Amino acid sequence: MVSGCVAAITDNGIGIAGTAPGCKVMALRAGYLTASGEATLRTDWISSTIIYEAANGADIINCSWTSSSHISSAVSVAQSEGLLIVTSAGNEDTDSSADNWLSSVPGVLTVAATGSGDAKTSFSNYGSWVDLAAPGEGIYTTVY
């Protein structure tokens, strides 16, 4: 969904215009969904993906999932290569960042979600540890 908001081609008559049309997206997958729809992410897969991104020219890494300190070495590698890491504040409507280790890492940008009235959504986490808020509800993207 994020890639569809960012990189969608403009002026093509389809109706979606990205915020950074023409940018390149390195679409990588660090996990999968089980048959029942449960997300499965392992820290070794995440670390390998982050290191791959750092070694292959990425500028920004989107981490819209709960994280743990088990990926700290990979995060350090990416930051030493100058990559910006962006993480979601989370979707539990709490002011706690306890479930997202990345939110506590200096230099990582933590983003909360806003709705159509530019106010916090009913689900987004919030607090002084959040760096910015951006549209995250009722927005158009290239996902059906």
Side-chain angles (χ1 to χ4, degrees):
M1 291 183 71
V2 173
S3 295
C5 294
V6 173
I9 298 170
T10 59
D11 296 325
N12 61 5
I14 295 176
I16 302 296
T19 57
C23 74
K24 294 180 182 177
V25 173
M26 185 184 297
L28 300 172
R29 186 165 137 176
Y32 63 93
L33 291 178
T34 64
S36 64
E38 183 179 335
T40 301
L41 288 168
R42 289 186 3 199
T43 55
D44 58 330
W45 297 343
I46 294 167
S47 294
S48 295
T49 303
I50 290 172
I51 290 170
Y52 179 90
E53 291 165 315
N56 287 280
D59 295 313
I60 301 170
I61 299 175
N62 175 44
C63 301
S64 297
W65 31 261
T66 302
S67 63
S68 77
S69 61
H70 292 101
I71 63 170
S72 62
S73 293
V75 168
S76 293
V77 167
Q79 288 183 318
S80 72
E81 293 294 322
L83 277 75
L84 171 62
I85 299 175
V86 180
T87 189
S88 165
N91 300 324
E92 293 80 34
D93 188 29
T94 179
D95 64 356
S96 172
S97 64
D99 289 337
N100 193 349
W101 170 80
L102 273 174
S103 295
S104 68
V105 175
V108 171
L109 185 68
T110 301
V111 183
T114 61
S116 61
D118 202 28
K120 185 189 84 61
T121 63
S122 62
F123 57 83
S124 183
N125 291 358
Y126 55 91
S128 60
W129 49 274
V130 172
D131 297 304
L132 65 93
E137 178 180 64
I139 55 174
Y140 293 104
T141 183
T142 56
V143 175
Y144 290 114

